[in-house]
Amino acid sequence: MKHPILRLTPPLLSALLLLSSCGAQNTQATPSAAVETAAQTAESTAAAIDTQALFSDRDLAGTYDESAAIPIQLNGDSASCASDAVTIEGSRVILSSEGVYLLSGTLTDGQIVVNAGKSDKVQLVLNGVDVTSATSAPIYALSADKVFLTLADGTENYLANGEEYVAIDENNIDAVLFSKTDLTLNGTGSLTIQSPAGHGVVSKDELVITGGSYTITAANHGLSGKDSIAIADGSFTITSGKDGLHAENSDDPSLGFLYLAEGSFSVTAQGDAISAAGALQIDGGTFDLHTGAGSASVDLSSSEDAFGPMDGGQQKSGVVQSETTAAEPEADTVSQKGIKAEGSFTIAGGTFTLDTVDDGLHAGGEALITGGTFSLRSGDDAIHSDAALTIQNGSFTIPYCYEGIEGLSITVDAGTFDITSSDDGLNAAGGADSSGFRGPGGQSQDTFSSGTDSFILINGGEFTIVSTGDCVDSNGDLTVNGGTLDLTCNGSGNTALDCDGTYTNNGGTVTTNDGSEQNPGQMGGGMGGRGGLRGNPGTQPSGAPSENGDRPQPPQDSAQEAPSEA
C-alpha cells in the first residue's frame, strides 16, 4: 500500500516581484503591513500533492489480456467457472488467488468476494454484468494487495444493493462496491451503481479512478476513499444523500487528500459535492456541482436588513435560511459546500459551474487558484479560505452570494471578476471580525484566528463589483498595485472601499460610486457622486488629510449614518 507524501512547491514569487517594483514608485512611503506580510507569504512555500506517485502504469492502462483471463459466467442465482482459484457457494463467488477474472452475466442477490493473499493483485473485468445483493455489497474486496475493477470496452454494467446492509463479518460493509484494500477503477465501459441504504463506492485505503463512465445514486457518499481519492479521468454523474466525493482519514491528518487531474463531474449532493479532510488539488476537468436546494433556497439579507449596523467587532450581517429552517433545524449543521478541503486547496484549471447552499469553494488552509473558468452561485461565500487566499488568474462570474471572495488575506495577480454580493465583494477578515460568518439559518460558520495577517493586495485583474456591503473590505491594509476596479456600493452605511489599515494605490484604476477611493470607509455607500483615481502612489490612509490640509468629509446627507465596519 503506497502513501503519496506531500511535497513542497517552489515559492510563489510573482507577488514579491510586483511589490519590489511598487517600492520604486513610492520610495518615500514606509512599507505597509500588507506589503511586508505579502512579501513574507511570497517567500513561504505551499504544500501540494505529489501527483507523480498517484497512478501506476497498470492503473492508467485499463486493459487486460483476455487469453490469460479466467472466465466466470454468472447465471442468475448461481455461477460457473472451471478454475480452482474460484469457489462458488450458491450465488456467492469467491476469488482466492492473484489473476485476471472476466465476469459476464447476471447474479441475483449474490456477491463477488475477493479474498486473496496480502501481496496478490486481482483484476476484475466487468464484461456486461448485473449483480445485486439484497443485504450486502455486490462486490466485496476483503483481502489483496490491490484490486483493479476494469470496465470492458463498450459494455454496460450494473451493481445494486437492497435497502439494508447486514453484517457478514467483523467489517462494516456499507457500500455497493466495498474494498478493504487499495482499489482502482478503470477501463472504457460504463457502470451504474444503486445504493439506497449506504455509499456507492468505498475504499478503506486508496481509491484511484483513471477512466470509465459512472452513474451513482447513493443514500450516503457517492465515492469515498479513506486514505485518498485520485482521479485521472472519467465521466461521473452522482446523486448522493451526503457528499458526492469524500476523502477522509480520521487517524492520519496527512492522508484523506483528494486529487482530480481531469474528468467530467455532475454532482447533486445533500452534503458537500466534493470534500477532502486533507489537501485538495484540481488540475482540470468540467464540474457541474449542486448542493442541497441550491443558493436560491437561502435568503441573503444585508447587514442592516437582518441585524442593523453593528460596531465594535459585533455581529455585522447574516444569511437567513428560507422556508425550510424552522421545519428542519438539524439542516443547520450539514455542510453543503461545493468543493471543500480542510487542508490546503489548489486549483490550476477547469470549468466550474456551482450552485450551493454553503460556500462554493472552501479551504480550511491556504488556497491557491492559478486558472480556470468559474460560475459560482452561493448562499454564503462564493470563495472562502480560513488562511491566505491567492488568485493568480482565472475568470470568475459570481452573480449571487453573501460574500464574493473571503480570506484571512487576499492576493490577486490577474483575472476577471464580475461579482454581485449581498455583503462584501472582497473581504479580508481577521481577529474579532464577524463579517461573512453567517450561514444558512443564520448560524455561525467561518472563523479566523486573531492576528495581523489580514490584508488585500491587488496586483492586477479586472473587477466589476456590485455590493450591498463594502465592495472591497480589508481588516488590515488595502494595496492596489495594478488592475481596474469598477465598484458600486448599494448599502447605506457601507462603502465601495473600506480598510482598517493603510490604503495605497500604486497604479491601479479605481472607480467608485461614492468617492471612497479618496478616503476608504468614510463615506456612506452609494451616496456620493461617481469618482475615480488612477495611478496615485501613496494615497492617504483612511481619515488622512487631503492635499489642501483638510480632512475629507462624507456627503452631507449621509454624515449621520453609522460608520462602516471592516
Side-chain angles (χ1 to χ4, degrees):
M1 176 172 56
K2 64 180 186 298
H3 294 302
I5 59 174
L6 297 181
R7 62 179 173 84
L8 296 179
T9 59
L12 302 176
L13 296 177
S14 58
L16 183 59
L17 294 174
L18 284 166
L19 287 169
S20 298
S21 65
C22 296
Q25 294 180 32
N26 189 16
T27 56
Q28 295 180 345
T30 301
S32 67
V35 172
E36 293 173 346
T37 305
Q40 293 168 2
T41 302
E43 291 172 353
S44 67
T45 54
I49 297 170
D50 182 6
T51 61
Q52 299 300 314
L54 294 177
F55 306 106
S56 68
D57 291 342
R58 189 171 180 180
D59 289 335
L60 296 168
T63 58
Y64 64 99
D65 182 358
E66 186 172 355
S67 64
I70 299 171
I72 302 174
Q73 181 64 41
L74 308 178
N75 303 309
D77 58 359
S78 65
S80 59
C81 180
S83 173
D84 293 338
V86 178
T87 301
I88 298 173
E89 300 174 349
S91 60
R92 197 164 191 249
V93 180
I94 304 170
L95 317 179
S96 57
S97 299
E98 180 169 297
V100 179
Y101 299 86
L102 181 62
L103 296 95
S104 304
T106 299
L107 195 60
T108 304
D109 195 11
Q111 187 175 55
I112 310 297
V113 180
V114 177
N115 192 12
K118 296 294 185 181
S119 62
D120 290 346
K121 290 180 171 57
V122 177
Q123 184 174 11
L124 307 181
V125 180
L126 304 189
N127 186 36
V129 304
D130 184 339
V131 182
T132 61
S133 175
T135 59
S136 193
I139 296 181
Y140 174 27
L142 171 60
S143 177
D145 175 57
K146 189 171 187 177
V147 172
F148 301 84
L149 188 144
T150 301
L151 306 176
D153 186 32
T155 65
E156 297 180 0
N157 304 277
Y158 181 86
L159 301 174
N161 166 258
E163 297 184 356
E164 63 177 336
Y165 289 89
V166 177
I168 60 176
D169 57 22
E170 70 279 5
N171 295 313
N172 180 28
I173 301 172
D174 57 359
V176 164
L177 178 50
F178 185 88
S179 178
K180 288 287 292 180
T181 187
D182 293 342
L183 175 65
T184 293
L185 310 182
N186 59 19
T188 55
S190 68
L191 175 61
T192 297
I193 290 177
Q194 295 282 341
S195 186
H199 309 296
V201 178
V202 167
S203 171
K204 290 299 184 179
D205 281 325
E206 299 171 2
L207 175 60
V208 171
I209 305 175
T210 65
S213 177
Y214 303 87
T215 301
I216 300 172
T217 303
N220 294 334
H221 302 318
L223 298 172
S224 179
K226 182 177 181 180
D227 288 353
S228 63
I229 297 177
I231 297 178
D233 207 349
S235 174
F236 303 85
T237 300
I238 299 174
T239 303
S240 61
K242 292 186 178 179
D243 299 346
L245 283 70
H246 180 89
E248 179 180 11
N249 188 319
S250 58
D251 300 323
D252 188 344
S254 69
L255 300 175
F257 61 87
L258 195 154
Y259 172 67
L260 307 176
E262 271 292 348
S264 173
F265 301 84
S266 177
V267 179
T268 300
Q270 295 308 308
D272 301 322
I274 298 174
S275 175
L280 182 147
Q281 181 174 336
I282 298 175
D283 286 344
T286 302
F287 301 83
D288 186 3
L289 309 180
H290 299 257
T291 67
S295 60
S297 68
V298 182
D299 177 19
L300 301 182
S301 299
S302 69
S303 57
E304 297 191 15
D305 289 339
F307 302 104
M310 305 304 290
D311 200 4
Q314 300 298 313
Q315 183 177 10
K316 175 184 175 185
S317 46
V319 179
V320 180
Q321 180 73 27
S322 61
E323 63 273 3
T324 61
T325 302
E328 299 177 335
E330 69 276 5
D332 290 351
T333 62
V334 176
S335 177
Q336 295 183 311
K337 297 175 174 62
I339 302 175
K340 179 180 76 175
E342 296 299 338
S344 64
F345 185 116
T346 303
I347 296 180
T351 301
F352 302 82
T353 302
L354 277 62
D355 189 353
T356 58
V357 172
D358 206 336
D359 297 347
L361 310 178
H362 178 98
E366 293 187 359
L368 171 65
I369 300 174
T370 61
T373 301
F374 302 83
S375 177
L376 309 176
R377 298 180 63 89
S378 170
D380 199 2
D381 304 332
I383 304 174
H384 174 93
S385 171
D386 286 353
L389 169 61
T390 301
I391 299 176
Q392 294 182 335
N393 213 333
S395 173
F396 302 83
T397 301
I398 305 173
Y400 187 90
C401 66
Y402 176 52
E403 291 195 315
I405 301 173
E406 181 179 60
L408 177 60
S409 67
I410 299 173
T411 301
V412 178
D413 293 334
T416 59
F417 304 82
D418 189 345
I419 301 171
T420 301
S421 61
S422 175
D423 196 48
D424 301 339
L426 273 65
N427 179 41
D433 180 82
S434 53
S435 176
F437 293 171
R438 313 307 297 168
Q443 79 274 19
S444 179
Q445 287 195 322
D446 304 322
T447 59
F448 298 91
S449 60
S450 61
T452 59
D453 295 332
S454 181
F455 63 86
I456 294 178
L457 172 63
I458 297 175
N459 296 315
E462 298 181 7
F463 296 82
T464 301
I465 301 176
V466 178
S467 70
T468 303
D470 304 317
C471 295
V472 180
D473 179 1
S474 175
N475 281 284
D477 291 347
L478 170 57
T479 304
V480 179
N481 290 322
T484 302
L485 288 77
D486 185 358
L487 311 177
T488 302
C489 175
N490 294 326
S492 177
N494 293 299
T495 54
L497 292 178
D498 190 5
C499 68
D500 286 352
T502 300
Y503 169 58
T504 306
N505 188 326
N506 291 319
T509 300
V510 182
T511 308
T512 74
N513 69 325
D514 61 5
S516 60
E517 70 274 26
Q518 300 289 348
N519 195 21
Q522 298 301 308
M523 292 187 173
M527 305 301 272
R530 194 78 174 165
L533 176 66
R534 175 179 178 83
N536 185 5
T539 300
Q540 292 88 359
S542 174
S546 61
E547 292 181 2
N548 61 11
D550 297 328
R551 289 184 180 274
Q553 297 297 320
Q556 189 65 34
D557 59 356
S558 64
Q560 302 303 315
E561 294 180 359
S564 168
E565 284 294 312

